[in-house]
Amino acid sequence: MRDMLLIAFYALMGAAAAGIVGALVLRVLRHRSVAVSLTVVAAVTVTAMLAGTLAVAQAMFLSPHDLTVVTMVVAMAAVVSLATALLLGRWVVARSRELALAARSFGDGGSFAAPGVPSTAELEALSRELAATSDRLAESRERERALETSRRELVAWISHDLRTPLAGLRAMSEALEDGVVQDPDRYFRQIRTEVDRLNSMVGDLFELSRIHAGALALTPTRMSLYDLVGEALAGADPLAREHGVRLVGDGVEPVPVEVDGKEMTRVLANLLVNAIRRTPADGTVAVAAEQREDRVVVSVTDGCGGIPEEDLPRVFDTGWRGSQARTPPAGAGLGLAIVRGIVEAHAGHAEVSNVSGGCRFEVSLPAAAPR
């Protein structure tokens, strides 16, 4: 038993010495190819075996003949191990290079196509991650292009809408300055109207910029949906009377919601104003609200005659104003974009669909947690 312990001790010392040297070599070559590292690992394995054998032989536990035989066996094993490590290393390096070449297309706006040759499990996992990243980048580029197009359209439309009232204000101010106006009070009222419209446009632009920048700070409070809709209807009633439109809010359930009252009031006001202006005289704008499972849905139905099917996906885009004339009082096309931004900030979503004689805008919000 004592002899076996001595043999194990000497073998361990020899193998440990080879392992320490191998670890130092790996540290020096840690920035080299994986093929070199695999070769070093194979060489350390064989060298550790040979070092242990030589240590045992030095202690005279092996005869010269046995030492020669063992050394020959270890040498042959070393040749096979090193050759296998080199082949494996070259194969892994080749697969890594193919993966790197496939990943270079990211920077050029292309998509990632995984190499079609077999690879290791780790490289396959990396390839799947790169493919998923490529899909996300493609979606991001598409959103960026759509946003840039929307911004350009918005700048063009806003420039047109600003130019018209500014030209009118300049003409009226010059007429007042020259003293050629027979009814100055009418000009003053018109100037006030144009200034209010410009102020509204600037306010919408500021609100939209906060939404796009993610700087819309919400202060949710628990309130009744019935009260929220009632306030919005009361605010829109004068405009409805001016246009000869009936407002109906009989289908509103008194369900609780946790929302920012100020921002959601703006959402409902934008939807109601849009519906009133698009509904002909003697028409009806109906507001309804109900709870559907874990969601609360508020709908505004108008009598605009419907929206062309090809335009439905663009209704909530910034600057969209449909096929009607893009001149005042059609607005700058920001109201529905603001609606979508505020609703999505509340973890909800807004959608539109055509109904008989008009269209229905629906705002879906998370239901308030029961107390």
Side-chain angles (χ1 to χ4, degrees):
M1 183 65 181
R2 183 172 178 273
D3 291 343
M4 295 300 296
L5 291 176
L6 286 174
I7 292 173
F9 175 75
Y10 281 110
L12 178 61
M13 291 298 100
I20 292 173
V21 173
L24 294 175
V25 173
L26 284 175
R27 180 175 177 81
V28 173
L29 301 177
R30 62 183 181 275
H31 298 302
R32 300 295 296 276
S33 170
V34 66
V36 176
S37 299
L38 288 174
T39 303
V40 171
V41 170
V44 168
T45 302
V46 177
T47 304
M49 183 186 301
L50 181 59
T53 303
L54 293 177
V56 172
Q58 188 67 25
M60 301 182 67
F61 289 109
L62 286 180
S63 65
H65 177 268
D66 292 340
L67 179 60
T68 302
V69 172
V70 170
T71 302
M72 183 63 66
V73 172
V74 171
M76 295 300 100
V79 172
V80 175
S81 298
L82 291 176
T84 303
L86 284 173
L87 290 175
L88 177 60
R90 289 173 63 86
W91 182 78
V92 172
V93 169
R95 301 291 84 76
S96 300
R97 287 176 177 172
E98 291 173 355
L99 192 59
L101 289 175
R104 287 181 183 176
S105 60
F106 279 177
D108 299 330
S111 59
F112 174 78
V117 293
S119 184
T120 63
E122 292 77 10
L123 291 179
E124 287 289 349
L126 178 59
S127 179
R128 289 192 296 270
E129 288 297 326
L130 288 174
T133 302
S134 174
D135 293 338
R136 289 193 293 270
L137 286 175
E139 293 175 359
S140 177
R141 286 192 294 267
E142 186 63 29
R143 287 195 301 268
E144 184 65 25
R145 282 193 292 266
L147 182 59
E148 182 62 25
T149 301
S150 177
R151 286 173 179 170
R152 291 178 180 176
E153 292 177 351
L154 175 62
V155 169
W157 294 342
I158 287 293
S159 299
H160 177 271
D161 288 350
L162 287 176
R163 188 179 297 113
T164 301
L166 287 175
L169 288 172
R170 179 175 181 178
M172 286 184 288
S173 63
E174 290 177 350
L176 289 170
E177 184 179 7
D178 295 338
V180 296
V181 178
Q182 296 180 355
D183 187 4
D185 291 339
R186 183 174 65 86
Y187 274 65
F188 289 140
R189 289 192 298 270
Q190 185 64 28
I191 289 175
R192 175 63 181 271
T193 301
E194 297 296 339
V195 170
D196 288 342
R197 181 160 48 191
L198 289 173
N199 183 66
S200 177
M201 292 173 61
V202 172
D204 286 345
L205 284 172
F206 178 71
E207 183 77 3
L208 195 62
S209 67
R210 287 201 304 157
I211 293 172
H212 286 169
L216 184 63
L218 300 177
T219 307
T221 56
R222 191 181 183 92
M223 62 182 63
S224 171
L225 191 61
Y226 184 85
D227 296 336
L228 189 65
V229 174
E231 292 179 4
L233 288 173
D237 186 64
L239 181 64
R241 291 177 181 274
E242 179 184 346
H243 285 74
V245 175
R246 293 185 299 274
L247 288 180
V248 178
D250 300 333
V252 180
E253 298 180 3
V255 294
V257 289
E258 291 186 2
V259 295
D260 187 306
K262 178 182 177 182
E263 297 298 340
M264 285 308 302
T265 298
R266 179 161 194 168
V267 166
L268 295 176
N270 284 359
L271 291 177
L272 286 171
V273 169
N274 181 73
I276 291 170
R277 288 178 174 172
R278 302 291 180 176
T279 300
D282 294 331
T284 300
V285 172
V287 182
E290 61 179 342
Q291 184 165 356
R292 302 176 187 172
E293 298 180 353
D294 60 342
R295 310 289 292 183
V296 174
V297 180
V298 182
S299 64
V300 176
T301 306
D302 59 33
C304 67
I307 299 173
E309 292 295 331
E310 62 271 14
D311 286 341
L312 284 176
R314 298 194 57 207
V315 166
F316 293 98
D317 289 353
T318 302
W320 183 87
R321 286 180 288 187
S323 58
Q324 298 189 15
R326 289 178 168 83
T327 56
L334 305 181
L336 294 179
I338 292 174
V339 166
R340 180 176 63 179
I342 294 176
V343 170
E344 290 180 351
H346 283 83
H349 65 271
E351 58 186 16
V352 61
S353 60
N354 285 323
V355 296
S356 177
C359 58
R360 176 183 291 119
F361 288 84
E362 288 190 349
V363 171
S364 176
L365 298 169
R371 290 185 174 179

